[in-house]
């Protein structure tokens, strides 16, 4: 499963020893909290290289071909991936959490609404922000998108078979960061529909017309007993 680095050019980003240690420590911390981790391709100037012969992908992507099966919560195994290469830190979705990805202007609206939500802390969870302006809300896994959101081009639900880049991964545009760090949310995840319902309200507040297959006024409710 080890990447074949013989065909990689000399332009992989050179990180300081401190930065490399930080990548490894953060990846291990995610694993210790039960979040599966998989190594990402290394940033080389404005593209990513994984070391796999013939790989055509130049954007951020997993370094291992069988990344989904290889993803691990074993701290020792995770640490070995970052000992020799400055891999990005990727978190597979659909396991410990799903990710609701939305544009920045909606992300700010949803985060502001979450802070004053009547459910209280139960709707607040970790939130990632990419340097390209995408906000990613980590939620409990397993729920599909609300019907109103299925056809929204700017709304993406990451579940099984997908992943997200996590801090301190660096992209060509800058570094991925936490708007709400896992520690701030006590490593807790909100129900997906609580966040989706807040997103629907934010969209309607901005004047977006949404169609729904649901009976008017009927909202999906949070699942119980999870």
């Amino acid at each position: 499963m080890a990447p074949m680095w013989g065909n990689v050019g000399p332009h992989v980003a050179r990180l300081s020893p401190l930065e490399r240690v930080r990548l490894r420590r953060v990846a291990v911390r995610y694993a210790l909290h039960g979040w599966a981790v998989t190594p990402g391709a290394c940033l080389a100037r404005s593209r990513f290289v994984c070391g796999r012969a013939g790989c055509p992908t130049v954007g951020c992507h997993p370094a291992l071909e069988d990344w989904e099966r290889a993803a691990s919560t074993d701290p020792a195994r995770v640490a070995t991936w970052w000992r020799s290469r400055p891999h990005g830190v990727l978190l597979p979705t659909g396991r410990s959490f799903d990710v609701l990805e939305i544009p920045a202007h909606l992300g700010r609206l949803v985060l502001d609404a979450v802070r004053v939500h009547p459910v209280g802390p139960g709707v607040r969870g970790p939130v990632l922000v990419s340097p390209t302006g995408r906000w990613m809300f980590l939620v409990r896994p397993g729920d599909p998108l609300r019907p109103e959101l299925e056809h929204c081009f700017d709304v993406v639900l990451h579940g099984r078979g997908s992943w997200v880049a996590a801090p301190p991964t660096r992209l060509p545009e800058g570094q991925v960061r936490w708007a709400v760090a896992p520690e701030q949310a006590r490593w807790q995840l909100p129900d997906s529909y609580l966040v989706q319902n807040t997103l629907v309200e934010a969209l309607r507040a901005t004047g977006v017309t949404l169609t729904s297959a649901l009976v008017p006024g009927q909202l999906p409710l949070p699942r119980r007993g999870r």
Side-chain angles (χ1 to χ4, degrees), residues 44-141:
R45 291 184 176 174
S46 61
R47 61 168 291 171
F48 288 85
V49 292
C50 64
R52 288 188 275 123
C55 179
T57 307
V58 298
C60 185
H61 64 285
L64 303 176
E65 188 171 5
D66 58 348
W67 63 270
E68 195 168 12
R69 185 184 66 82
S72 179
T73 57
D74 178 4
R77 186 179 187 190
V78 169
T80 62
W81 284 326
W82 274 269
R83 283 204 179 113
S84 60
R85 296 285 170 181
H87 292 292
V89 181
L90 307 186
L91 303 177
T93 54
R95 298 186 179 194
S96 298
F97 53 80
D98 288 344
V99 169
L100 189 65
E101 178 185 345
I102 58 181
H105 71 282
L106 290 175
R108 293 187 185 95
L109 288 174
V110 171
L111 190 57
D112 287 344
V114 160
R115 286 178 178 140
V116 296
H117 198 283
V119 172
V123 76
R124 190 185 191 208
V127 183
L128 285 164
V129 179
S130 80
T132 57
R134 302 292 290 178
W135 286 50
M136 305 185 195
F137 290 74
L138 278 63
V139 298
R140 294 177 195 165

Side-chain angles (χ1 to χ4, degrees), residues 10-25:
H11 303 301
V12 170
R14 296 186 181 277
L15 301 181
S16 70
L18 185 62
E19 289 176 302
R20 292 174 71 117
V21 168
R22 183 175 177 235
L23 277 167
R24 185 170 71 248
R25 284 181 176 172

Side-chain angles (χ1 to χ4, degrees), residues 181-194:
E183 294 83 358
Q184 290 176 281
R186 299 182 180 180
W187 296 88
Q188 300 298 308
L189 300 167
D191 187 278
S192 178
Y193 282 140
L194 285 174

